[in-house]
Amino acid sequence: QKEVEQNSGPLSVPEGAIASLNCTYSDRGSQSFFWYRQYSGKSPELIMSIYSNGDKEDGRFTAQLNKASQYVSLLIRDSQPSDSATYLCAVEGPGGYNKLIFGAGTRLAVHP
Amino acid sequence: GAVVSQHPSWVICKSGTSVKIECRSLDFQATTMFWYRQFPKQSLMLMATSNEGSKATYEQGVEKDKFLINHASLTLSTLTVTSAHPEDSSFYICSARLGGGQETQYFGPGTRLLVL
């Protein structure tokens, strides 16, 4: 079992719709969770961090965390073509040590 | 805030030469920096964790004698690819951890290496 799993996609949504990206992780002790966006040919950029169960909203983005289910998600409301990118889920590595374990990423395509 | 730079942004070199890549945290001090490699259409692969003033910790399968890492100050880490070969051609990305109990990593823009 991979430590951080994401559906590779592509996830295709129409402009204006809600895009839902999901991620599961294997280390029950993880405390820190992150979503990064990576455009083709570019490095990842941080979108959201979440540390507590529940929802965290920032503009059009909402991160959701359920530690009991070992599940973290990212919702993008009013999706725009500029949101088309690969979204990487990252989870604090086993035992801390500051490492982040990245999922393979989900490719999102927002079509006009 | 939390800006990380990398230099150079791209480099082309001949097989057998060494290439040094710099990673700088511009507006914060980073006791820990990370080096990743990404091949086309693949995810990030952590190569090593770089701690200021101490030896880097390499991930399994990464040759420490080939990928030399130096973290001499709180704002600078360098990765040297020694005796580069075409199979080392990749996108090398560094990140810096904000610290203060936060695990957030901020990424540099990356360095694209092409070894001929």
Side-chain angles (χ1 to χ4, degrees), chain B residues 40-102:
Chain B
K41 300 192 185 304
Q42 295 187 25
S43 190
L44 293 170
M45 186 192 80
L46 178 65
M47 298 175 67
T49 301
S50 170
N51 293 296
E52 186 268 336
S54 63
K55 290 184 179 179
T57 303
Y58 290 82
E59 294 299 300
Q60 193 172 12
V62 178
E63 299 174 59
K64 62 180 181 181
D65 294 331
K66 180 171 181 63
F67 299 99
L68 301 178
I69 292 172
N70 183 278
H71 193 157
S73 78
L74 288 172
T75 59
L76 173 64
S77 176
T78 61
L79 167 68
T80 301
V81 183
T82 62
S83 186
H85 288 94
E87 58 265 30
D88 298 322
S89 299
S90 188
F91 190 36
Y92 291 85
I93 314 172
C94 74
S95 71
R97 190 175 70 92
L98 199 57
Q102 295 188 49

Side-chain angles (χ1 to χ4, degrees), chain A residues 32 34 36 38 41-46 49 51 88 92 97-100 102-105, chain B residues 32 34 36 38 43-44 46 49 59 91 93 97 102-110 112:
Chain A
S32 307
F34 305 86
Y36 288 85
Q38 186 175 24
K42 302 294 185 181
S43 67
E45 57 179 315
L46 180 69
S49 61
Y51 305 96
L88 303 171
E92 176 194 359
Y97 301 113
N98 308 317
K99 287 197 315 186
L100 293 183
F102 283 85
Chain B
T32 306
F34 303 86
Y36 295 85
Q38 188 174 38
S43 190
L44 293 170
L46 178 65
T49 301
E59 294 299 300
F91 190 36
I93 314 172
R97 190 175 70 92
Q102 295 188 49
E103 303 305 325
T104 306
Q105 290 184 27
Y106 294 89
F107 284 85
R112 206 163 292 281

Side-chain angles (χ1 to χ4, degrees), chain A residues 57-109:
Chain A
E57 187 175 318
D58 184 0
R60 295 187 296 113
F61 300 98
T62 299
Q64 298 174 317
L65 175 61
N66 184 324
K67 291 183 181 179
S69 300
Q70 296 173 242
Y71 175 92
V72 59
S73 66
L74 179 70
L75 300 178
I76 306 175
R77 289 181 299 281
D78 188 23
S79 295
Q80 302 296 309
S82 59
D83 294 326
S84 299
T86 296
Y87 289 80
L88 303 171
C89 171
V91 177
E92 176 194 359
Y97 301 113
N98 308 317
K99 287 197 315 186
L100 293 183
I101 309 299
F102 283 85
T106 297
R107 191 157 61 88
L108 172 66

